[in-house]
Amino acid sequence: MKYTIEILRQQDREAAPYRQIIPFETDDPQMTVVTLLKTLNANPRQTDIDGNPIGKIEWECSCLQKKCGACAMRINAKPRLACDTKLGAFKSGRIVLEPLKKFPVIADLIVDRAVMFENLKQLGLWLEKEARHTKRGEEVAYEASRCLQCGCCLEVCPNFISGEDFYSAASFVPTGRILSELPRKDKAAILDSYVNKIYRGCGKSLSCRDICPAQIDIDHLLVNNNAVAVWKRFLK
């Protein structure tokens, strides 16, 4: 099948973005966007529709198994993992690749997601000593640990703006893990941060639930976190 690949490109942080349209043909509908990008970069003679060389397309990857979240990007206006998105899903043959819009662009499809990790540090999401688990706490901790920190949830969240006070699902999901593991007397600082940085800013649109590549049970974690942080119903 013949595809039209449109990529929003940007040489570096200061450069102006531009769109490049590249013709591509494959008989494999199971080919992923990751494989597409690797194929384009492996062919130095590949040109766009105007006959211009495309050069190296910058993008990120790590595991290529839907485990790390590094290859998150906007594909036909929807944030997805490139390693889990197959070309056959786009019957029109038009595929538009763009960097996530809620983060600064580093180059092409690579964005700077450091704000997510800074927010986790601000919340103090680490354990100072060994924790003891309850059965319910272990279930919550496991579910929360599946977060990929890919940023897809932030991309669709109507309340998240990078650098502002609301930290969104990329923070409240990991918070659920720590709240389930910390003893009650050690929760105070994180509970205050949760109320100020997450609870008060969340509009409960649950856009994050519908977009999460890991299909984390956002509803359950949000209810549990709010019960612990706001209503003081601690896990037993």
Side-chain angles (χ1 to χ4, degrees), residues 81-233:
L81 299 184
C83 68
D84 192 47
T85 305
K86 297 178 174 61
L87 303 193
F90 305 99
K91 304 304 182 184
S92 69
R94 181 173 181 264
I95 300 175
V96 180
L97 306 180
E98 301 169 308
L100 298 176
K101 293 186 176 181
K102 292 286 184 84
F103 308 97
V105 175
I106 295 175
D108 289 341
L109 302 171
I110 302 176
V111 296
D112 184 354
R113 289 177 286 187
V115 65
M116 291 195 298
F117 305 105
E118 288 301 318
N119 288 348
L120 296 182
K121 288 194 288 184
Q122 291 295 320
L123 288 168
L125 297 188
W126 59 82
L127 295 175
E128 298 286 352
K129 51 192 172 184
E130 184 179 357
R132 293 185 179 181
H133 305 286
T134 63
K135 182 176 181 180
R136 182 184 173 193
E138 287 177 350
E139 293 172 353
V140 171
Y142 172 75
E143 187 67 16
S145 71
R146 297 198 301 114
C147 178
L148 305 177
Q149 291 292 298
C150 62
C152 289
C153 58
L154 304 186
E155 187 72 10
V156 299
C157 178
N159 303 109
F160 175 79
I161 299 175
S162 182
E164 295 199 356
D165 286 340
F166 175 58
Y167 290 177
S168 195
S171 291
F172 83 63
V173 170
T175 300
R177 181 178 184 179
I178 299 300
L179 289 180
S180 71
E181 295 180 334
L182 282 176
R184 180 170 180 170
K185 62 184 178 61
D186 295 332
K187 296 180 190 286
I190 292 179
L191 296 182
D192 287 343
S193 295
Y194 179 89
V195 171
N196 292 325
K197 301 296 185 180
I198 297 172
Y199 176 76
R200 289 178 179 167
C202 181
K204 312 300 187 297
S205 69
L206 293 178
S207 302
C208 48
R209 174 191 61 193
D210 300 328
I211 206 67
C212 179
Q215 297 182 318
I216 293 171
D217 190 347
I218 298 290
D219 301 56
H220 175 64
L221 290 177
L222 187 60
V223 168
N224 180 80
N225 288 359
N226 288 349
V228 174
V230 182
W231 315 120
K232 305 298 187 276
R233 296 171 184 167

Side-chain angles (χ1 to χ4, degrees), residues 8-19:
L8 182 62
R9 307 198 61 182
Q10 187 170 331
Q11 185 174 359
D12 53 43
R13 293 175 184 266
E14 281 71 44
Y18 65 96
R19 294 186 180 272

